[in-house]
């Protein structure tokens, strides 16, 4: 079987977990004896073909106003226009359709589509190729993908979000199978009417290859409880709340190590707000953190 995996980002353009899971899946399918090809975005304008660990990767130039993954700020009208184009980007859908014609996959597995747009679904379905979509976030309900505003969770999509995501929500009815990486993620979309005509709906939790190192033998703690956080440093992860609470817990009671990267402004804000018993490690091997903490948050 030949599978085409479509995700907005792929190695070496990695920001979060979706890119890592897409790569794990591509290489796992290959190791199981299947042919796999990946389609992703590139900051440039041209289409180029690369190889990542033996996987053929098509890097498509983004046809929109700007590259959205640089962390750069843009004026509100420019951002609005970018999202308007992204709601159904015919140029990106055309580019993906051409690759489907050239590669002739048996199934297309889409992941995060910000930049590619949900127009990809329509282009693939016109070629009578089955589509399986994997939900990692709330991009189909909210242009920012987080369902958060003013540091609070949104109970439902607002009018602006509904307007921008309407094409994708409508096209979701044509997807052949949908996978949520958690029950909550899947149910949240189903509650909003997405994938209502999709016959196959499953929850498949994220997994990583390899065997985890065995935990160290439990020993009585001779000092404060060691807490750890591993992940992207963004407001949606709750890291700001965690750091704030460390002011209530003295260093004699617990310490916290924070592993991960974020925007320069947000990282500076976190560091300035943190008490002395919070250490920021930057981007490090997570296994090193796991071995050095008592509790992972």
């Amino acid at each position: 079987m030949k599978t085409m995996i479509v995700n907005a980002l792929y190695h070496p353009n990695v920001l979060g977990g979706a890119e890592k899971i897409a790569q794990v899946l591509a290489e796992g399918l290959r190791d199981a004896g299947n042919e796999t090809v990946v389609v992703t975005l590139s900051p440039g304008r041209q289409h180029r073909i690369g190889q990542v660990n033996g996987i053929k990767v098509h890097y498509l130039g983004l046809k929109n106003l700007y590259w959205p993954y640089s962390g750069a700020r843009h004026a509100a009208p420019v951002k609005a226009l970018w999202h308007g184009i992204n709601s159904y980007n015919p140029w990106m859908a055309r580019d993906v359709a051409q690759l489907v014609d050239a590669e002739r996959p048996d199934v297309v597995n889409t992941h995060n589509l910000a930049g590619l747009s949900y127009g990809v679904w329509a282009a693939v379905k016109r070629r009578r190729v089955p589509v399986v979509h994997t939900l990692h976030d709330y991009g189909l309900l909210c242009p920012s993908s987080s369902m958060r505003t003013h540091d609070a969770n949104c109970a439902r999509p607002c009018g602006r979000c509904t307007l921008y995501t309407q094409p994708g929500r409508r096209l979701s009815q044509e997807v052949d199978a949908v996978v949520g990486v958690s029950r909550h993620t899947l149910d949240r979309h189903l509650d909003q009417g997405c994938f209502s005509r999709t016959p196959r709906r499953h929850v498949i939790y994220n997994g990583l290859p390899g065997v985890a190192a065995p935990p160290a033998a439990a020993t009585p703690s001779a000092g404060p409880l060691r807490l750890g956080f591993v992940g992207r440093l963004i407001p949606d992860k709750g890291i700001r709340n965690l750091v704030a609470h460390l002011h209530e817990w003295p260093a004699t009671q617990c310490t916290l190590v924070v592993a991960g990267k974020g925007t320069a402004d947000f990282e500076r804000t976190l560091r300035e707000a943190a008490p002395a018993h919070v250490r920021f490690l930057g981007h490090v091997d997570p296994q090193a953190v796991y071995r050095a903490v008592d509790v992972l948050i």
Side-chain angles (χ1 to χ4, degrees):
M1 184 177 74
K2 184 173 184 178
T3 302
M4 175 179 282
I5 294 177
V6 182
N7 191 49
L9 297 176
Y10 198 82
H11 182 85
N13 303 313
V14 176
L15 287 180
E19 297 84 76
K20 297 178 182 178
I21 294 301
Q23 183 175 353
V24 166
L25 179 60
E27 295 174 8
L29 286 169
R30 175 206 59 200
D31 294 344
N34 302 286
E35 185 178 358
T36 309
V37 61
V38 173
V39 177
T40 188
L41 290 171
S42 168
R45 292 290 181 179
Q46 301 301 316
H47 172 207
R48 64 182 181 86
I49 301 175
Q51 291 279 333
V52 178
N53 295 340
I55 301 292
K56 183 179 182 181
V57 182
H58 290 275
Y59 295 93
L60 296 177
L62 175 61
K63 295 175 174 63
N64 205 328
L65 300 181
Y66 58 83
W67 178 251
Y69 301 107
S70 65
R73 297 186 177 184
H74 301 276
V78 176
K79 290 175 63 177
L81 184 55
W82 190 97
H83 285 295
I85 295 172
N86 185 66
S87 65
Y88 191 102
N89 189 324
W91 303 285
M92 296 311 308
R94 178 201 60 197
D95 287 355
V96 174
Q98 291 173 349
L99 292 179
V100 172
D101 290 339
E103 294 287 351
R104 300 181 65 83
D106 298 298
V107 62
V108 172
N109 175 212
T110 56
H111 294 255
N112 286 353
L113 293 175
L116 291 160
S117 98
Y118 295 100
V120 166
W121 288 340
V124 174
K125 290 299 293 182
R126 281 197 293 268
R127 283 150 179 80
R128 301 183 183 277
V129 177
V131 176
V132 178
H133 182 64
T134 302
L135 291 164
H136 295 273
D137 58 26
Y138 303 104
L140 194 55
L141 304 176
C142 169
S144 69
S145 301
S146 65
M147 289 289 289
R148 286 175 60 83
T149 183
H150 304 303
D151 252 1
N153 293 333
C154 300
R156 62 186 60 83
C158 65
R160 180 181 67 89
C161 289
T162 300
L163 176 65
Y164 282 130
T165 60
Q166 185 58 38
R169 291 149 69 100
R170 176 174 50 81
L171 288 169
S172 74
Q173 312 306 325
E174 305 304 318
V175 171
D176 297 282
V178 59
V179 173
V181 298
S182 73
R183 170 57 57 186
H184 180 80
T185 303
L186 179 58
D187 287 348
R188 195 80 185 270
H189 286 82
L190 297 178
D191 290 345
Q192 293 297 321
C194 300
F195 308 103
S196 61
R197 297 208 303 264
T198 298
R200 298 176 180 85
R201 309 167 183 173
H202 302 281
V203 175
I204 302 177
Y205 300 111
N206 285 337
L208 292 173
V211 178
T219 58
S221 176
L225 188 68
R226 302 171 301 173
L227 307 177
F229 173 93
V230 178
R232 288 179 63 199
L233 302 187
I234 57 176
D236 305 350
K237 300 289 187 181
I239 180 61
R240 182 158 47 196
N241 295 340
L242 177 59
V243 167
H245 277 300
L246 263 292
H247 285 284
E248 304 172 18
W249 304 328
T252 55
Q253 184 177 358
C254 69
T255 60
L256 172 67
V257 293
V258 177
K261 298 288 290 182
T263 64
D265 288 347
F266 188 67
E267 280 199 45
R268 182 172 58 253
T269 300
L270 279 180
R271 291 172 184 268
E272 291 173 351
H277 53 295
V278 176
R279 288 194 301 127
F280 292 86
L281 306 181
H283 186 76
V284 298
D285 179 4
Q287 291 294 333
V289 179
Y290 302 153
R291 291 191 294 267
V293 301
D294 302 307
V295 177
L296 184 70
I297 300 179

